[in-house]
Amino acid sequence: MSAEPDREAVIEFRNVGYRLPGGRDSSAGLLESINLRVHPGETLVLLGRSGAGKTTTLKLINRLLEPTGGQVLVEGKSTLDWDPIALRRRIGYVIQETGLFPHYTVEQNIALVPRLERWPEDGIRARVADLLALIGLSEDFLPRYPHELSGGQRQRVGVARALAVDPPVLLMDEPFGALDPLTRSEVRREFQALQRQLQKTIVIVTHDISEALLLGTRIALVDSGKLVGTFSPQEFLRSGEPVAAAYLAQLRELERSGDPHEPR
């Protein structure tokens, strides 16, 4: 299991807990004593089954949720001390269904936050053009609406919109889960290339062990609201930890089945 290096963290969880408001007793998404550091330029994967607390952990970073215990720090400052809007402008957010506004064109979706930030129009046009090139789409896509795009194209536009004001942090919640297997593999590879180019600090939520091993610099394994441990992909493959072993058994079953859509 990785010992986290003693260096500055972009995101830090200090003994963080989360309980549902109003005393509701559902255990799904609850967190207990999470301690975690995310370092500059790394891709940390939050891996766990449904209800383990992965998305709750993610939403605490951009203050869509607030901890009921402990502290979440972004760039050394508690999320409760950040202005929520200022914090979210520092953090790009990509979700499974992309969250694109259906009545906005591709250009309008990507340009949304720069316009809210009152960028000059020539700067916005240049930024949109740069981002389209970055995600491999031509300017022919600018006037199209989300329903006119394929699933993979919508996901690429969602990433471009999240990157529009060049935030240092990118949060991604099951970003490839809604795609068909072939498109998912293609977009994953494109995302790897993009991360090598941009060197953003990224936190990705997934329940897919293949995805975690492929994309993660480190893997934070979450189970029943607790952090089981953090691992490099190589450490995860060697781990004897029972929850990790269950994921590895699933991976071996996929390999035995010869699933052509899963990365080797």
Side-chain angles (χ1 to χ4, degrees):
M1 188 182 304
S2 291
E4 296 195 27
D6 185 17
R7 55 191 173 101
E8 184 180 357
V10 178
I11 300 163
E12 184 174 2
F13 284 69
R14 293 181 180 172
N15 203 35
V16 171
Y18 179 76
R19 289 288 179 268
L20 294 171
R24 287 179 284 163
D25 58 3
S26 169
S27 62
L30 304 190
L31 300 178
E32 180 180 337
S33 301
I34 299 290
N35 289 283
L36 183 65
R37 291 163 63 88
V38 187
H39 300 114
E42 80 168 328
T43 300
L44 181 85
V45 174
L46 293 169
L47 176 68
R49 67 186 70 194
S50 297
K54 309 182 300 299
T55 295
T56 298
T57 302
L58 200 73
K59 288 181 176 180
L60 287 166
I61 297 170
N62 62 357
R63 205 177 165 182
L64 290 176
L65 296 174
E66 297 180 355
T68 53
Q71 276 190 312
V72 181
L73 291 90
V74 175
E75 298 179 341
K77 181 177 173 180
S78 168
T79 54
L80 300 184
D81 293 332
W82 277 91
D83 173 79
I85 294 175
L87 175 64
R88 291 167 196 155
R89 298 283 165 84
R90 302 283 294 162
I91 298 173
Y93 192 40
V94 182
I95 60 176
Q96 183 177 121
E97 297 292 344
T98 74
L100 297 178
F101 290 106
H103 56 292
Y104 278 15
T105 64
V106 166
E107 186 275 336
Q108 290 169 324
N109 268 286
I110 297 174
L112 177 64
V113 178
R115 287 204 170 101
L116 291 173
E117 292 281 91
R118 300 185 184 278
W119 284 26
E121 280 300 316
D122 57 347
I124 292 174
R125 285 193 296 271
R127 182 61 175 161
V128 170
D130 287 346
L131 287 167
L132 274 184
L134 189 68
I135 62 173
L137 296 180
S138 74
E139 293 191 7
D140 294 342
F141 284 87
L142 287 174
R144 299 189 191 180
Y145 289 87
H147 73 271
E148 298 176 302
L149 307 177
S150 70
Q153 289 164 350
R154 284 194 297 272
Q155 200 64 48
R156 292 177 181 95
V157 173
V159 170
R161 187 178 67 175
L163 294 172
V165 292
D166 199 22
V169 176
L170 190 61
L171 306 181
M172 307 182 78
D173 192 357
E174 301 277 6
F176 314 120
L179 303 177
D180 66 83
L182 287 174
T183 303
R184 185 164 65 241
S185 293
E186 178 184 319
V187 175
R188 282 173 178 170
R189 288 193 297 270
E190 292 172 356
F191 172 77
Q192 280 184 298
L194 195 63
Q195 170 58 347
R196 285 193 293 269
Q197 180 177 346
L198 298 177
Q199 293 295 298
K200 298 288 184 185
T201 302
I202 300 176
V203 182
I204 299 180
V205 163
T206 187
H207 61 268
D208 185 325
I209 177 58
S210 298
E211 190 162 276
L213 293 168
L214 182 70
L215 300 180
T217 306
R218 285 189 302 139
I219 298 168
L221 184 58
V222 182
D223 189 58
S224 300
K226 298 178 181 179
L227 179 64
V228 175
T230 58
F231 311 80
S232 71
Q234 295 76 20
E235 289 170 335
F236 197 97
L237 288 169
R238 297 193 299 267
S239 176
E241 206 293 323
V243 181
Y247 276 101
L248 295 174
Q250 177 194 47
L251 181 64
R252 287 191 292 270
E253 181 60 33
L254 286 170
E255 290 174 341
R256 280 195 298 270
S257 70
D259 188 333
H261 305 317
E262 290 299 325
R264 295 288 195 259

